[in-house]
């Protein structure tokens, strides 16, 4: 068995680290500035594309680093103007990135932070194959440069809602956020970046402490009682709903911007009027808004999506309780755009299932 030669993604490096590296290689500082421009303003994916840099510098860099840690294995276009990119990492794993055209000049990207996931939420395809590894910061932001190249437009909204639990890959996730926000990087506003978490209490607290206000927070709630949440989110056994809510009350102010609760509606599991009532109460306590998401059926689970009128009633109930609520039709359900669905299919094919 031969192991492929893995190179460190060049976009793993911060501006300072890159400057240091270029100095070590014996080149003047302005070369670092030029390279940052190629990486984050022109989104090159190969050394040869950096036209004004000396060949020997590029060669030296290429010996150690890769200008793109990902390859695009597949692009799927949906009828509702979202695309899904299936990327292959250097070590041959598949990850997914979803692009959503929000109309006009608004382009959003949903990023992946881990190959697989440890959380094993029952409604989610990402956890079905377990967890393989964390992505590095460079592998996370390479998704952005690839997407910008493919769609030929800037990305102005980033949501960490692809495969994986971002806060379970804390350091690399935070490094990626800082590259997204840096002037020398993608230059994005923190208001346009949202991290979604299944509710890792210690990581939420760490985030509030170390990076207050850097991005917006979304929390996957999906259940309004300990019992119903634990049925679908095993993580809730370690970090019970009650403690999660208490934690959010403590950190709410640090996030500066309104928290969002995501709530997947699943038939007969969390879609009753009592659920709506409890959800309204939780949202009000935290001054949060609610995103209702119709469940996307995945293989191997018997959950179902509620009927449209049930979902509308649930939404109306929240609205009448004074909660800001949207019923979001998952973009791209015809291209398996829900978190991890396409990868699950491709990995299963690879393993040669019947
Ligand atoms: N681990 C983080 C980020 C992953 S994104 C988290 O749990 O928040 C998780 C989101 O993907 C969920 O909140 C939900 O919006 C969506 N999702 C996953 N599986 C889904 C499914 N089968 N149907 C609809 N939405 C799903």
């Amino acid at each position: 068995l031969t192991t492929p030669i893995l190179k460190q993604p060049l976009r793993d490096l911060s501006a300072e680290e890159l400057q240091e590296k270029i100095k070590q290689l014996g080149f003047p500082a302005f070369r670092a500035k030029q390279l940052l421009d190629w990486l984050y303003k022109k989104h090159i994916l190969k050394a040869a594309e950096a036209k004004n840099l000396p060949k020997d510098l590029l060669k030296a860099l290429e010996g150690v680093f890769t200008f793109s840690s990902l390859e695009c294995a597949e692009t799927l276009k949906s009828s509702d103007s979202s695309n899904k990119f299936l990327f292959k990492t250097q070590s041959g794993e598949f990850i997914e990135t979803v692009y959503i055209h929000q109309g006009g000049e608004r382009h959003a990207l949903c990023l992946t932070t881990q190959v697989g996931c440890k959380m094993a939420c029952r409604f989610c395809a990402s956890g079905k194959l377990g967890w393989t590894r964390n992505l590095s910061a460079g592998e996370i932001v390479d998704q952005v440069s690839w997407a910008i190249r493919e769609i030929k437009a800037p990305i102005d909204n980033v949501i960490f809602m692809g495969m994986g639990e971002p806060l379970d890959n804390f350091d690399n996730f935070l490094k990626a956020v800082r590259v997204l926000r840096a002037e020398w990087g993608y230059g994005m506003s923190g208001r346009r970046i949202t991290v979604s978490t299944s509710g890792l209490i210690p990581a939420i607290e760490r985030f509030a402490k170390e990076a207050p206000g850097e991005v917006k927070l979304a929390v996957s709630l999906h259940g309004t009682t300990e019992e119903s949440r634990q049925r679908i989110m095993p993580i809730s056994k370690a970090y019970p709903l009650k403690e999660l809510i208490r934690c959010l009350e403590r950190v709410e102010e640090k996030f500066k911007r309104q928290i969002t609760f995501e709530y997947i509606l699943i038939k007969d599991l969390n879609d009753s009027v009592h659920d709506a009532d409890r959800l309204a109460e939780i949202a009000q306590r935290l001054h949060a808004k609610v995103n209702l998401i119709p469940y996307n059926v995945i293989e191997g689970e018997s959950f179902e999506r509620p009927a449209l009128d049930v979902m509308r009633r649930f939404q109306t109930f929240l609205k009448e309780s004074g909660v800001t609520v949207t019923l979001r039709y998952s973009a791209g359900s015809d291209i398996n755009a829900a978190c991890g669905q396409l990868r699950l299919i491709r990995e299963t094919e690879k393993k040669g299932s019947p």
Side-chain angles (χ1 to χ4, degrees):
L1 223 88
T2 50
T3 323
I5 301 165
L6 306 186
K7 292 183 178 170
Q8 189 182 9
L10 195 51
R11 289 183 181 86
D12 265 358
L13 274 54
S14 66
E16 300 81 61
E17 288 164 341
L18 194 75
Q19 275 152 10
E20 189 51 38
K21 192 78 216 167
I22 295 220
K23 208 167 102 190
Q24 272 173 22
L25 292 168
F27 290 87
F30 76 94
R31 295 299 186 190
K33 177 129 199 345
Q34 286 177 316
L35 184 55
L36 286 170
D37 231 61
W38 285 110
L39 289 172
Y40 298 107
K41 314 293 178 203
K42 301 190 184 88
H43 310 291
I44 60 167
L45 301 170
K46 284 192 206 101
E49 290 179 291
K51 298 248 188 305
N52 60 357
L53 289 179
K55 293 261 170 345
D56 42 349
L57 170 58
L58 293 175
K59 214 164 157 219
L61 287 171
E62 262 191 310
V64 195
F65 299 103
T66 174
F67 282 67
S68 168
S69 60
L70 304 172
E71 250 175 68
C72 190
E74 223 175 301
T75 306
L76 280 91
K77 286 195 193 325
S78 151
S79 50
D80 63 11
S81 70
S82 62
N83 287 1
K84 171 171 262 190
F85 303 110
L86 187 71
F87 291 118
K88 205 167 158 188
T89 65
Q90 291 181 92
S91 32
E93 299 118 346
F94 289 124
I95 62 161
E96 303 176 1
T97 306
V98 178
Y99 156 70
I100 305 142
H101 186 196
Q102 299 171 306
E105 295 301 306
R106 300 185 56 216
H107 306 276
L109 202 62
C110 179
L111 297 184
T112 283
T113 53
Q114 297 181 314
V115 180
C117 188
K118 292 179 201 158
M119 301 302 126
C121 299
R122 291 209 29 219
F123 50 80
C124 178
S126 289
K128 294 287 170 202
L129 298 168
W131 174 87
T132 306
R133 67 175 179 91
N134 287 334
L135 294 186
S136 76
E139 289 177 304
I140 296 171
V141 299
D142 274 353
Q143 297 168 56
V144 182
S145 281
W146 258 100
I148 292 173
R149 288 282 290 256
E150 291 284 322
I151 64 170
K152 300 181 179 65
I155 293 293
D156 48 23
N157 239 305
V158 163
I159 47 180
F160 284 91
M161 284 189 197
M163 290 164 50
E165 167 54 48
L167 298 187
D168 182 41
N169 180 12
F170 196 91
D171 294 332
N172 297 341
F173 154 73
L174 190 55
K175 195 165 185 191
V177 163
R178 292 186 168 154
V179 178
L180 289 172
R181 299 187 64 211
E183 273 306 318
W184 54 261
Y186 296 90
M188 287 187 64
S189 153
R191 266 177 298 128
R192 301 300 184 96
I193 304 172
T194 302
V195 58
S196 177
T197 178
S198 55
L200 296 183
I201 295 176
I204 294 173
E205 281 178 343
R206 185 175 163 202
F207 194 50
K209 199 162 148 229
E210 288 180 23
E214 286 201 28
V215 299
K216 292 203 290 192
L217 182 69
V219 177
S220 291
L221 206 65
H222 311 324
T224 59
T225 62
E226 299 292 353
E227 196 271 329
S228 69
R229 193 164 191 266
Q230 282 178 18
R231 259 180 78 189
I232 48 176
M233 300 181 77
I235 182 69
S236 205
K237 292 183 185 136
Y239 302 116
L241 180 62
K242 218 162 127 197
E243 285 172 30
L244 175 62
I245 293 166
R246 249 189 255 135
C247 156
L248 294 174
E249 281 175 335
R250 283 194 299 274
V251 301
E252 191 202 336
E253 247 179 39
K254 296 262 177 58
F255 279 92
K256 292 182 188 133
R257 299 169 189 112
Q258 198 175 25
I259 293 174
T260 301
F261 283 122
E262 292 151 274
Y263 193 91
I264 301 180
L265 285 163
I266 304 173
K267 188 178 171 190
D268 298 334
L269 195 137
N270 63 5
D271 62 346
S272 74
V273 175
H274 301 296
D275 286 301
D277 193 31
R278 286 186 292 259
L279 180 55
E281 203 223 285
I282 296 170
Q284 270 157 349
R285 257 172 80 183
L286 286 152
H287 318 99
K289 53 186 174 189
V290 173
N291 257 343
L292 299 173
I293 309 156
Y295 170 66
N296 241 328
V297 176
I298 62 163
E299 290 241 339
E301 289 292 350
S302 53
F303 299 133
E304 286 173 54
R305 177 184 287 195
L308 187 58
D309 63 317
V310 173
M311 299 196 288
R312 289 228 170 101
R313 211 179 312 137
F314 198 97
Q315 181 188 22
T316 306
F317 190 96
L318 282 166
K319 212 182 277 171
E320 285 172 356
S321 312
V323 176
T324 307
V325 54
T326 55
L327 177 61
R328 187 188 77 193
Y329 271 93
S330 332
S333 49
D334 59 331
I335 54 166
N336 296 309
C339 190
Q341 282 186 305
L342 182 60
R343 165 186 175 256
L344 182 61
I345 293 166
R346 291 293 175 267
E347 288 284 357
T348 316
E349 285 169 358
K350 216 166 69 178
K351 294 203 175 85
S353 69

